[in-house]
Amino acid sequence: MKTADFDFDLPEDRIALRPVEPRDAARLLIVREGALADHVVRDLPGLLQPGDALVFNDTRVIPARLDGIRVREGLEVAVEATLHQRRGPGGWSAFMKPGKRLRVGDKVRFNGLTARVAAKHQDGLIDLDFDHEGPALDHAIHAAGHMPLPPYIAARRPGDERDRADYQTVFATHDGSVAAPTAGLHFTPELLAALAARGVSTHGVTLHVGAGTFLPVKADNVVDHRMHAEWGEVSQETADALNAARAAGGRIVCVGTTSLRLLESATGEDGMVRPFHGDTAIFITPGYRFRAADVLMTNFHLPKSTLFMLVSAFCGLETMRMAYAHAVADGYRFYSYGDGSLLFRSA
């Protein structure tokens, strides 16, 4: 398939710059068997069934954007780093601007941190070795960094202290993401209580979302695109609980594409979810046979993005074209701080 097959028109004023308050007041578009229905997120308990299992990503976003100065032979150049994936106690891979002006061995000074460029890769990633390690590096990054707002928000307004709370889900537990699992941003303690009262169980998995999620697909043919790896974990307890829920007739409901991609990576051809610990670079496009996810709650995604390809695989490309056209025409808010959709798998 061509990347252009996943393009659509989106007016700029549909891009949400702030979340709605309260979070569960966001709109929710239901897509089931080719039909559409307009709801709000707080309606979710009535849209699910007792025995369904809700799976959320419990990763926590770190302030992963660092402003720095490259120093070489007495010359200083301003640079920006967006951390991508931890490489060890004192190392991270990062996307950097201007990356082409950096050389292996260059020193970069951040606020309270110094790093050396250890390697440059063809996919645009740059390996940084910091002068701190372990918890000391974590604390220094938290002190020096800014929340890594998506480019489509950062281009229209500066980040602020409010984003440190807004860009974090109620599930956030394990530090490591440089982008929020945005479907989870809609949840509140009140909504979780209502789901529990409905008989819907909740289960956490961890996928540390990398900065590659913001990158456009540049290849003309979808098959030529390569995903950046992200680290994830599914515990034995969660795997057992999901298998039991499905065996009892419940559905697996993924909150966000991140939890879906991780579960699909952890599920075998026999449909059994197994413990998982490591990197995944799964790329889901139309034609993929889903093993784990029955229902997907997700925000509205960018044109020609890997995430729009994923939802098109889940419900069908023409169905998602129709759904997105309805969302645009009816004033739904798009992207990270935008509204949500609840998708029921087509097959």
Side-chain angles (χ1 to χ4, degrees):
M1 300 186 77
K2 298 290 188 181
T3 301
D5 295 335
F6 300 91
D7 198 9
F8 57 89
D9 292 326
L10 181 68
E12 191 172 279
D13 63 4
R14 295 294 188 271
I15 301 173
L17 300 183
R18 298 282 188 186
V20 298
E21 292 290 343
R23 293 187 180 203
D24 59 6
R27 301 178 70 188
L28 186 69
L29 179 63
I30 312 306
V31 183
R32 178 164 27 195
E33 296 178 351
L36 309 178
D38 299 306
H39 285 266
V40 294
V41 170
R42 66 169 62 101
D43 295 337
L44 184 62
L47 298 166
L48 301 179
Q49 299 296 328
D52 286 346
L54 196 77
V55 183
F56 56 84
N57 186 358
D58 61 12
T59 187
R60 184 174 179 83
V61 183
I62 64 172
R65 186 174 64 78
L66 301 169
D67 296 322
I69 299 292
R70 185 217 72 190
V71 180
R72 185 198 303 149
E73 298 174 354
L75 299 177
E76 298 185 349
V77 175
V79 296
E80 177 184 298
T82 300
L83 302 179
H84 173 67
Q85 192 175 39
R86 192 77 177 247
R87 295 175 41 251
W92 276 85
S93 61
F95 292 100
M96 299 192 67
K97 299 177 182 178
K100 291 182 179 179
R101 299 182 67 178
L102 291 169
R103 301 175 188 167
V104 173
D106 278 348
K107 292 294 181 70
V108 182
R109 291 200 308 261
F110 303 104
N111 182 21
L113 275 170
T114 300
R116 183 183 71 87
V117 176
K120 296 182 68 174
H121 302 281
Q122 291 185 347
D123 59 3
L125 283 170
I126 292 176
D127 291 345
L128 296 175
D129 287 342
F130 286 91
D131 60 348
H132 291 57
E133 291 189 351
L137 176 57
D138 298 338
H139 292 315
I141 289 172
H142 275 272
H146 308 278
M147 290 301 274
L149 288 180
Y152 43 78
I153 294 177
R156 297 179 62 190
R157 69 162 179 84
D160 54 32
E161 282 302 306
R162 180 176 165 185
D163 290 307
R164 290 206 173 221
D166 286 348
Y167 202 54
Q168 209 74 264
T169 74
V170 70
F171 310 114
T173 303
H174 303 293
D175 280 1
S177 271
V178 301
T182 55
L185 295 177
H186 298 299
F187 285 79
T188 64
E190 294 78 13
L191 178 58
L192 291 173
L195 286 162
R198 175 67 167 162
V200 176
S201 60
T202 53
H203 310 272
V205 297
T206 305
L207 182 76
H208 291 325
V209 189
T213 191
F214 297 140
L215 296 180
V217 177
K218 296 181 178 179
D220 291 333
N221 292 307
V222 170
V223 294
D224 294 329
H225 179 70
R226 294 293 176 266
M227 299 283 282
H228 288 90
E230 297 165 315
W231 184 90
E233 182 172 35
V234 178
S235 69
Q236 181 74 62
E237 179 183 8
T238 294
D240 290 344
L242 295 179
N243 290 329
R246 176 168 275 175
R251 297 170 298 187
I252 294 179
V253 183
C254 290
V255 177
T257 57
T258 60
S259 63
L260 182 147
R261 289 191 294 111
L262 180 56
L263 275 190
E264 292 295 322
S265 301
T267 303
E269 291 284 351
D270 58 359
M272 297 296 291
V273 184
R274 294 176 172 82
F276 184 94
H277 183 97
D279 286 347
T280 178
I282 188 171
F283 183 22
I284 296 175
T285 59
Y288 177 86
R289 186 178 69 84
F290 289 87
R291 304 171 182 176
D294 301 301
V295 184
L296 170 63
M297 181 177 172
T298 185
N299 284 20
F300 292 95
H301 304 295
L302 281 73
K304 297 192 291 187
S305 64
T306 60
L307 301 183
F308 185 63
M309 295 173 189
L310 186 155
V311 297
S312 297
F314 201 75
C315 286
L317 177 55
E318 291 309 312
T319 294
M320 293 314 299
R321 285 185 182 278
M322 175 185 65
Y324 273 51
H326 170 81
V328 169
D330 207 43
Y332 277 75
R333 303 162 75 249
F334 274 62
Y335 303 163
S336 295
Y337 281 151
D339 296 314
S341 61
L342 188 68
L343 313 179
F344 292 79
R345 200 176 72 200
S346 60

